[in-house]
Amino acid sequence: MKKLAALLSLCFAFTMANAQYTSTNLVTGLKYPVSMQFAPDGRIFLTQKGGDGFASNVDGQVRIFSAAGASLGVLWDFTDSVETYFERGVLGVALDPDFDNNHFVYVFYNHKTPAPARIRVVRFTETNNAGSNPTIIFEYTDPFTAGNHTGGNLHFKPGDNDHLYISIGDRATQPNSQLLTNPCGKILRINKNGSIPTDNPFYDDGNVATGNDDRIWAYGLRNTFDFTFSTINDSIYGSENGLNTWDEVNQIVRGGNYGWPTCEGFYNQGSTSVACSMSGSILPIDTWGAPLPAVTGIIVYDHPLMPEFQGHMLVTDYDNGRITDIELTGTALNVAGTRQNFPTIYTKLVDIAQGPEGCIYVIQGGYTTNGIIKKICPTNMNVESTAAALEFAVYPNPATNTVRIELDDFSAGSAIEICDLSGRIVKRETSVNTQMQIDISMLSSGTYLINVNDGVRRGTRLLIVE
Ligand SMILES: [Ca+2]
Ligand SMILES: [Ca+2]
Ligand SMILES: [Ca+2]
């Protein structure tokens, strides 16, 4: 029954979807938050990079919140060892694809104490909202002292239980991006136990110190702050922070070279007119010109709650606080289609996620001690709970080819929608009388929901199609 109630809610959310959204503050008072990840049980794991941005290293933590926003605990406090200067700190968090069984949580952080400075990914085992058994699965002794361009996100590819992908920026040293001998300016791919997959594109001897850094998956990136896997195809989509002229989003493929530092956007570095001259490099799928917005989090939305975003790339930015909505088109979903700004403007967005119920979550963060997780849902998502009931009859039921719905007093102009059990609207009509005959010959056999909404009242009936 609970499941049916959820489906009814989903179907009504469609009914009411009219591009009106409500943002609520789910969690406030976050200190320098950077990224978040949902657990299968709905909890939110969130990184706080630590420090005041430039000096001390307090509050460098991975925190855990309930789906309702209650603080449940601290997975790990990195205060004693983290380097938090500028863009460094506790940055990325990923949950093992088999989290329900192993409770493994992976965290990207910049290590300072004891020296030398290192970029690390550490795996913890979560129990009752606390971490234990820290195990280093990735480490790079970082000779670059710049505070910026660390990248810092971690993701597993849906459907692949074994490989962890890591983004590291060029460490503010441009030539790094084209060098296959270090991990900077790259997307890396490792086995989740820390070993190196032999099918990586630049794998030579399995030793990162000789020949190629065998962990490299893609290169020529400047600072891919975040990336995501589409659930619709198997590509990585990554946000890319340009220098002064173009921010980018890239569709990142195995072994790809994304052009930095020769190219920025579709052009040579710093240009708005001279086409990218690096042969073999892969151009971005979309760009933003100056003043650069500083693109941050990125998802490809895939949930029936907000069909207007289905299959779209949603990209947050720091400087404008906007969410850019980019339609992916073409059979490979690799071409940017219509692009528009989400209607609400926030401030300093650093990450975006899709919640289990299909709402969009963003982090308002940066160098602040009052960071916020905002939850963005359709404004009318829960309206059905307060609307008056509308009674109507459906017959015959089960039905084949046509079905009639009838009600004593439902007015002309009522919206009638038939949804399948995934929440997708398969038929939409507007009533012209108190009786309606609806052609359902195109529907395959199965169970559907019929919603009728006369503007004030709503009702739902099950429909069996034979
Ligand atoms: Ca090697
Ligand atoms: Ca590029
Ligand atoms: Ca993210």
Side-chain angles (χ1 to χ4, degrees), residues 220-221 240 248 250 258-260 263-265 282-284:
L221 297 160
E240 166 81 317
E248 308 175 359
N250 290 299
Y258 292 84
W260 181 255
C263 301
E264 185 181 5
I282 300 172
L283 295 171

Side-chain angles (χ1 to χ4, degrees), residues 53-83:
F54 291 92
S56 74
N57 54 353
V58 296
D59 301 316
Q61 298 175 338
V62 176
R63 301 181 62 186
I64 305 175
F65 298 92
S66 73
S71 179
L72 300 176
V74 173
L75 180 86
W76 198 261
D77 189 319
F78 294 77
T79 297
D80 64 349
S81 58
V82 66
E83 167 64 78

